[in-house]
Amino acid sequence: MASLSNGHSTSPPNPNPPSVHIKFTQLFINGSFVDSLSGKTFETIDPRTGEVIATVAQGGRDDIDVAVKAARQAFDFGPWPRMPGSERGRILMKLAELIDQNTEELAALDAIDGGKLYQWCKTVEIPSAANMLRYYAGAADKIHGEVLKMSRQFHAYTLLEPIGVVGHIIPWNLPTAMFFTKVAPSLAAGCTMVVKPAEQTPLSALFCAHLAKLAGVPDGVLNVVPGFGPIAGAAISSHMDIDKVSFTGSTQTGREVMQAAAKSNLKQVSLELGGKSPLIIFDDADVDKAAELALIGVLFNKGEVCVAGSRVFVQEGIYDEFEKKLVEKAKAWVVGDPFDPNVQQGPQVDKRQYEKILSYIEHGKREGATLLTGGKAVGNKGYYIEPTIFTDVKEDMLIAQDEIFGPVTALMKFKTMEEAIKSANNTRYGLAAGIVTKNIDIANTVSRSIRAGIIWINCYFAFGNDVPFGGYKMSGFGKEHGMEALHKYLQVKSVVTPIYNSPWL
Ligand code: ADP
């Protein structure tokens, strides 16, 4: 392992990563792999090297239309929404089993396509996706409404019905995990769907479509159409025959998705968008553990996570000690080939993202923040960036306001709890927040005062299938995970009937 001049470690790209066989590169529509109608393709790139991994069929507006027709047919006339929930659950369980049998292949696809850590994907992210399926498989036969006692001689009951054809627009940072975060509850609900994976990372979604077919998901229920956002993605959000669009991505694109939905058929929309999450560390914290949390909070998945704790507020009594420890830890953090088990941070997903991050770093320097460590690209091949820490950051600086989506953190000092709350809320986002303290009163007060969808006390990135997750403010609306996510794909129908021959009728 070579060492860089500033102390960061790096390891060279591994030319022979384990078992990366690209089997599926066509669109998956109505149970078959097919070319795009236009015959167009696009290249998916290995961010470790910038080289082409494979050429993938490029879905266009017409392909989305064919996929929607298949999903519509499967919803209006097919068995999936009509079969007993237990049967859908059985098929989802089978799919979970197939994922478990193919964790290495899926992990390799996400590592080579997205620069994600192979070992992490294999041992955590892909097995968690299988468990996500199991969670919703168990819920599929527990979907029921209520009986309502009306006034006078009527009574009513509610039915929870699948919402219909869903369009899922998926981001590139957690390709397999995000695929199942959206697909698992909507399948359990009895919906049919068209999934558009991100153009940076289409490979694992196509493999998952193949596994879904093997598991017994009927043709037309799950269609996967890779393609570019402004074309294939926009065709989903503006389609007249899609009943709901579930989007995860940037706030700007989320706004476009919502506008397209409003201008077309007023389809329902759920948006999981950007974040600029605060991590607030109080004087009573164990400084070493807090620094560890702050480091993981921003460097996990190379900072390409919507909940990254990219604004770190530290109380003045421990600020200097904390800063020193954080820098030490960042310098020991290993950047390199994501297939190397010793590596902690792989390359950014693509050239555009890499350049965007580097330009934010330059901006931070120009704005007057002090660069404590990092700030540069690593190596001369691929899209690697050093873990980067800024101090002397002011709340109104761009690096404290914009989502950078990279390994860059902004340290800020505070005196009182009230000041920390005010600063933490000084953002247009509201996805997540972390609090580090041993004081239960501080923890309770701060967790109730931060406007964000999930609060982690003395931990970070603690997700669970049963824990709802989603934004406040401009981080979006509509929850992922838990029963809330299942209900996003259901709609309530009220049925009213007289209980005897009433004079009112
Ligand atoms: P980023 O800018 O970080 O790549 P995006 O929000 O643009 O994030 O991408 C997330 C997903 O949204 C991807 O699948 C992308 O193809 C899709 N997308 C991008 N632009 C649009 C659009 N105009 N309409 C619908 N989907 C889009």
Side-chain angles (χ1 to χ4, degrees):
M1 204 169 285
S3 193
L4 294 178
S5 55
N6 64 357
H8 293 294
S9 303
T10 183
S11 75
N14 173 0
N16 298 310
S19 61
V20 189
H21 306 295
I22 315 298
K23 297 186 186 124
F24 305 103
T25 57
Q26 291 169 293
L27 317 179
F28 184 77
I29 298 179
N30 210 12
S32 302
F33 283 100
V34 293
D35 287 330
S36 63
L37 290 169
S38 66
K40 281 188 186 164
T41 57
F42 67 101
E43 291 170 337
T44 188
I45 305 292
D46 180 347
R48 301 175 311 146
T49 58
E51 285 160 14
V52 176
I53 310 165
T55 298
V56 176
Q58 183 189 329
R61 195 163 274 277
D62 293 350
D63 301 292
I64 292 290
D65 201 44
V66 175
V68 173
K69 283 197 171 76
R72 186 86 259 163
Q73 180 77 12
F75 187 79
D76 291 345
F77 304 107
W80 190 253
R82 292 163 188 83
M83 67 175 61
S86 56
E87 183 58 12
R88 281 200 301 277
R90 194 186 62 74
I91 293 170
L92 295 187
M93 285 288 191
K94 173 86 178 131
L95 179 52
E97 236 177 271
L98 288 170
I99 307 253
D100 280 347
Q101 287 162 21
N102 289 277
T103 46
E104 291 189 359
E105 182 128 14
L106 279 165
L109 290 176
D110 281 353
I112 197 168
D113 220 8
K116 292 173 65 67
L117 297 181
Y118 171 74
Q119 203 61 26
W120 166 266
C121 287
K122 188 178 124 179
T123 55
V124 180
E125 220 167 281
I126 308 295
S128 301
N131 285 336
M132 172 80 65
L133 275 161
R134 292 190 177 96
Y135 176 81
Y136 289 108
D141 61 356
K142 297 166 192 71
I143 297 170
H144 54 76
E146 294 175 310
V147 177
L148 306 162
K149 185 170 178 286
M150 295 174 69
S151 58
R152 301 202 183 95
Q153 291 88 358
F154 297 91
H155 85 143
Y157 62 91
T158 56
L159 292 171
L160 292 185
E161 297 185 332
I163 205 159
V165 176
V166 180
H168 293 299
I169 302 177
I170 312 261
W172 40 260
N173 58 337
L174 304 139
T176 303
M178 272 294 160
F179 181 91
F180 285 110
T181 293
K182 294 192 182 294
V183 163
S186 50
L187 281 179
C191 293
T192 63
M193 60 208 67
V194 178
V195 183
K196 195 203 83 61
E199 45 272 54
Q200 293 87 343
T201 53
L203 298 175
S204 56
L206 293 171
F207 190 80
C208 291
H210 155 72
L211 295 182
K213 174 142 179 143
L214 289 184
V217 174
D219 292 352
V221 170
L222 172 66
N223 304 277
V224 178
V225 182
F228 292 108
I231 304 167
I236 287 180
S237 40
S238 61
H239 204 287
M240 291 299 288
D241 222 7
I242 289 183
D243 301 296
K244 180 187 173 82
V245 60
S246 171
F247 171 82
T248 297
S250 64
T251 296
Q252 179 49 34
T253 305
R255 195 191 289 276
E256 287 170 35
V257 166
M258 200 167 164
Q259 274 168 345
K263 283 186 189 154
S264 53
N265 61 343
L266 288 173
K267 59 179 67 62
Q268 287 196 26
V269 177
S270 57
L271 303 175
E272 201 257 275
L273 307 175
K276 192 72 186 173
S277 298
L279 174 65
I280 310 169
I281 300 165
F282 288 87
D283 273 347
D284 67 345
D286 175 321
V287 178
D288 195 64
K289 282 190 185 144
E292 195 67 37
L293 214 55
L295 194 77
I296 301 288
V298 76
L299 297 185
F300 171 69
N301 208 44
K302 3 125 193 181
E304 292 173 346
V305 208
C306 50
V307 291
S310 52
R311 290 182 302 145
V312 181
F313 297 95
V314 186
Q315 204 160 16
E316 56 185 0
I318 56 165
Y319 192 90
D320 292 344
E321 191 191 348
F322 174 88
E323 185 181 282
K324 194 163 154 271
K325 284 213 186 266
L326 187 65
V327 171
E328 268 168 26
K329 286 178 193 291
K331 284 190 168 162
W333 188 256
V334 185
V335 180
D337 187 332
F339 284 95
D340 179 338
N342 297 312
V343 161
Q344 292 165 296
Q345 181 186 318
Q348 309 306 137
V349 74
D350 65 4
K351 191 159 187 281
R352 186 182 64 120
Q353 189 61 21
Y354 164 84
E355 285 173 351
K356 186 178 129 193
I357 297 163
L358 291 173
S359 89
Y360 268 115
I361 293 171
E362 288 312 309
H363 208 284
K365 289 194 229 165
R366 279 201 306 277
E367 280 180 310
T370 305
L371 185 64
L372 287 174
T373 184
K376 294 197 298 295
V378 176
N380 51 15
K381 201 175 187 194
Y383 309 128
Y384 299 88
I385 295 181
E386 291 173 341
T388 299
I389 302 172
F390 280 105
T391 188
D392 301 324
V393 178
K394 305 273 179 299
E395 282 177 45
D396 58 354
M397 287 180 180
L398 208 61
I399 57 165
Q401 287 292 328
D402 278 15
E403 180 179 49
I404 299 176
F405 226 64
V408 182
T409 200
L411 294 191
M412 287 171 269
K413 197 184 287 185
F414 71 90
K415 283 193 174 66
T416 64
M417 179 183 74
E418 290 72 22
E419 185 191 334
I421 291 169
K422 192 159 172 263
S423 300
N425 278 329
N426 181 14
T427 169
R428 55 190 181 277
Y429 295 115
L431 203 51
I435 305 165
V436 185
T437 180
K438 297 186 188 93
N439 184 322
I440 188 83
D441 297 325
I442 291 179
N444 283 336
T445 305
V446 178
S447 54
R448 281 162 174 72
S449 307
I450 301 295
R451 294 183 63 209
I454 189 163
I455 311 285
W456 288 300
I457 301 171
N458 296 327
C459 60
Y460 210 81
F461 291 131
F463 285 108
N465 292 335
D466 49 352
V467 181
F469 161 72
Y472 278 31
K473 295 156 77 179
M474 284 180 72
S475 291
F477 49 84
K479 302 290 180 192
E480 310 281 20
H481 302 181
M483 287 300 117
E484 274 82 355
L486 184 70
H487 284 268
K488 275 199 320 196
Y489 302 108
L490 294 167
Q491 55 193 345
V492 179
K493 178 183 280 175
S494 297
V495 181
V496 182
T497 183
I499 47 176
Y500 60 88
N501 263 345
S502 154
W504 296 95
L505 291 180

